[in-house]
């Protein structure tokens, strides 16, 4: 298992953005689900700050796959979350709970993540939080 990817997800589950950033290269390419690619640690930090305001999430049932001699990795997991604050363009937040299968794909160089791509089914999430 890729230790950098494991540390990244451990930091996510601990709500530790600084530890997540420590796993990333300075020029990280963050491919957000159904969003724009964000390049650089500052944009990643801003994304994490936004997510922390709107959502509380824990990832479970984690399986990490490694390939290309540690330069590529993928993870499959379940997102267990609570919708805390309305996110622009999405349904109103009322503390709804949700549970979604999701996956992430990584490129790594010199022990740091250079690219992370995350996928989940937004229509499923919307159905779960809509009332």
């Amino acid at each position: 298992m890729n230790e950098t990817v494991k540390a990244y997800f451990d930091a996510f589950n601990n709500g530790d953005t600084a530890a997540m950033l420590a796993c990333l290269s300075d020029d990280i390419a963050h491919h957000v689900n159904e969003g724009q690619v964000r390049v650089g640690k500052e944009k990643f930090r801003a994304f994490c700050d936004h997510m922390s305001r709107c959502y509380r999430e824990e990832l479970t049932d984690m399986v990490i796959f490694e390939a290309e001699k540690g330069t590529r990795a993928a993870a499959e997991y379940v997102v267990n979350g609570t919708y805390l604050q309305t996110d622009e363009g999405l349904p109103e937040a009322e503390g709804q709970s949700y549970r979604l299968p999701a996956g992430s794909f990584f490129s790594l160089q010199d022990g740091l993540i250079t690219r992370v791509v995350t996928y989940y089914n937004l229509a499923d999430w919307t159905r779960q939080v809509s009332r």
Side-chain angles (χ1 to χ4, degrees):
M1 171 183 357
N2 189 292
E3 292 304 316
T4 303
V5 172
K6 182 179 180 324
Y8 171 87
F9 284 121
D10 287 346
F12 179 94
N13 277 341
N14 289 326
D16 188 345
T17 299
M20 289 176 72
L21 289 167
C23 297
L24 308 178
S25 66
D26 289 338
D27 61 348
I28 180 69
H30 182 211
H31 298 247
V32 180
N33 191 70
E34 304 204 25
Q36 300 299 316
V37 177
R38 295 178 168 123
V39 178
K41 282 187 174 183
E42 283 311 308
K43 288 185 179 178
F44 188 91
R45 179 193 316 275
F47 176 82
C48 289
D49 290 347
H50 168 81
M51 292 296 289
S52 294
R53 278 191 309 277
C54 295
Y55 310 91
R56 182 175 51 246
E57 297 180 328
E58 179 184 13
L59 309 180
T60 60
D61 305 308
M62 177 79 56
V63 179
I64 298 174
F65 307 90
E66 185 173 10
E68 306 286 325
K69 298 181 181 177
T71 62
R72 301 285 294 273
E76 181 180 19
Y77 47 89
V78 174
V79 180
N80 305 275
T82 304
Y83 190 24
L84 303 173
Q85 180 179 320
T86 301
D87 201 345
E88 184 179 344
L90 297 174
E92 292 294 316
E94 300 173 2
Q96 305 94 310
S97 295
Y98 53 92
R99 184 171 164 84
L100 290 175
S104 295
F105 301 90
F106 300 89
S107 296
L108 297 103
Q109 184 177 346
D110 300 324
L112 295 173
I113 297 167
T114 60
R115 176 185 64 96
V116 59
V117 181
T118 301
Y119 291 107
Y120 58 87
N121 186 323
L122 182 59
D124 184 17
W125 178 86
T126 301
R127 180 189 55 73
Q128 290 184 48
V129 301
S130 295
R131 304 218 167 162

